[in-house]
Amino acid sequence: MKKIIYIFAALIFITISCTKDFEEINTNPNAPVAVQPSLLLRQVIYDFGEQMSYEGFVAGDLLAQHRTALDFNLFDRHDLKSPQLGGNPWAIFYTNLRDNEIIIKQSIETPAFEIYQGPALILKAYMAAGLTDLFGDVPYFEAFNGVNGIATPKYDLQEDIYQKENGILDNLDKGIAAINSYSSSIPLQGDILFEGDLQAWIKFANSLKIKYLIRISGKVDVSNQLQTIFNAGNYIKNNNENAVFDFTNSEPNSFRLAQLRVGDFNNFVLSETMEEVLIGLNDARIGTFFRPFANSNTNEFNGLINGINSSTTSIVLSDYSLAGTAFREDTSTLDANFITAWETSFLLAEAAQKGLITTSAESLYNLGVTQAFEYWNTNLPANYLSGNANFNAVGKTPLEQIITQKWIASIINGYEGWIEFRRTGFPALKSVSASLNNGLIPVRMPYPAEEATLNQVNYAVAASATNGNSLDAKVWWNK
């Protein structure tokens, strides 16, 4: 684990002038009228990482079928328009993209803040990709500007958000360029990912480029770009370089689920899908991620099918495996994870397997597995990679092995596991027990209901393009 952070609240103060004397009379001379970018950077990284870690557990892990919910589980039954304990990441993305845009503006307008431009552009690309990968077409080019922007921004096509100027890939390139061209001695402050190390931000950006090029590789020829990045080798290669920050064992910086009442924690248990995958691989991480169920006499694990109808199905909690101690009693072992060495290794293994880069896919796969076990503080059994987890295991394809291992390690980042399932079909997820989506596994998140009210005209266009805001309308890179 890299570091422990202590978060400062960063508040945005807005002054509105209505009359000649209003501002002078009503402005507190002792209150700040702007926020330092160091405080905003710290706030954006922490708030997004903390909130999406919670979301990734209570909602993303349900979609990816890492866990299942015992009660309050309409979301687990795929009624995604009814968020309960989680399942509404839209506001998290837009709040943090808005605050991050302030940092970008400050870095351009104030020479003393120039150092923040590169990291803020990289963060913008990272959050924008997460947003569009979940929802598809979203407000982007006209969004994030708060009181100085357009109140009802149009929805942009996902392919444009990825590929156009000031889009995801362009902002990663611009972020790297801004860092490389920075020549002042003013340090980057508020950086709880890399402690001000600008070269680490470049590695972060290059790992993200690998990820997003792979994500759109079914629509665009990305082989030359991927080979160039791979040959240069300037991406996250080991767990000491991971883009993460540590939670602690005490409030306010412990993992949020550890702070909630025990009933909320006990609502989430091992899914039948996750159990079958881990047991089938004889994977020691099952004891890291989950606990033996209370009624077991031999420390066995037991999972539940996703999406039960809790109003008609009686469940005994002690018959199912709860989440492991890392998620409640010892959250100092848990990270808010932006991207890691193991994810980058698996991405490159996929690229090699598909012929997008020239190197050994099996070597990268084995490296990714080793890094993932290390990341999750679990000893890698000596025979693990020669058994059912072998790259060329009988009855499995190399691509299935790569994505399945990435899916396992993405627990708590469940939205990522779900996105990769949508993109590749691996691992095979089960039909949920009492589906509220006609038995189909959703392939996008729905736009939130407030969009139909607050951005009515533009929402109507986007809803029409997704068959009435359907959960079953594929996003661009998945069509």
Side-chain angles (χ1 to χ4, degrees), residues 390-455:
N390 185 273
F391 186 70
N392 295 300
V394 176
K396 304 290 184 180
T397 67
L399 180 61
E400 181 178 359
Q401 295 291 75
I402 293 167
I403 302 301
T404 297
Q405 287 293 330
K406 190 197 300 185
W407 174 83
I408 293 170
S410 294
I411 191 170
I412 201 181
N413 284 56
Y415 284 126
E416 285 295 323
W418 175 56
I419 288 169
E420 291 294 78
F421 164 77
R422 289 157 48 198
R423 187 175 66 85
T424 67
F426 298 124
L429 301 185
K430 296 178 178 292
S431 298
V432 302
S433 176
S435 174
L436 295 172
N437 191 46
N438 298 316
L440 300 175
I441 295 175
V443 294
R444 63 177 288 271
M445 289 284 288
Y447 303 125
E450 56 265 27
E451 276 293 286
T453 302
L454 301 176
N455 195 5

Side-chain angles (χ1 to χ4, degrees), residues 168-211:
I168 293 165
L169 294 171
D170 184 52
N171 278 336
L172 289 174
D173 287 336
K174 287 178 176 175
I176 293 171
I179 291 172
N180 283 330
S181 65
Y182 182 70
S183 59
S184 178
S185 60
I186 299 174
L188 179 68
Q189 297 180 324
D191 174 13
I192 61 175
L193 285 181
F194 303 114
E195 298 177 343
D197 183 348
L198 293 179
Q199 294 307 306
W201 278 93
I202 292 178
K203 290 182 179 181
F204 177 33
N206 281 324
S207 280
L208 292 178
K209 285 177 70 175
I210 292 168
K211 177 175 182 173

Side-chain angles (χ1 to χ4, degrees), residues 208-227:
L208 292 178
K209 285 177 70 175
I210 292 168
K211 177 175 182 173
Y212 302 143
L213 289 170
I214 289 288
R215 192 145 288 175
I216 67 173
S217 61
K219 307 293 287 186
V220 181
D221 182 2
V222 299
S223 55
N224 289 338
Q225 296 173 77
L226 284 171
Q227 189 70 58

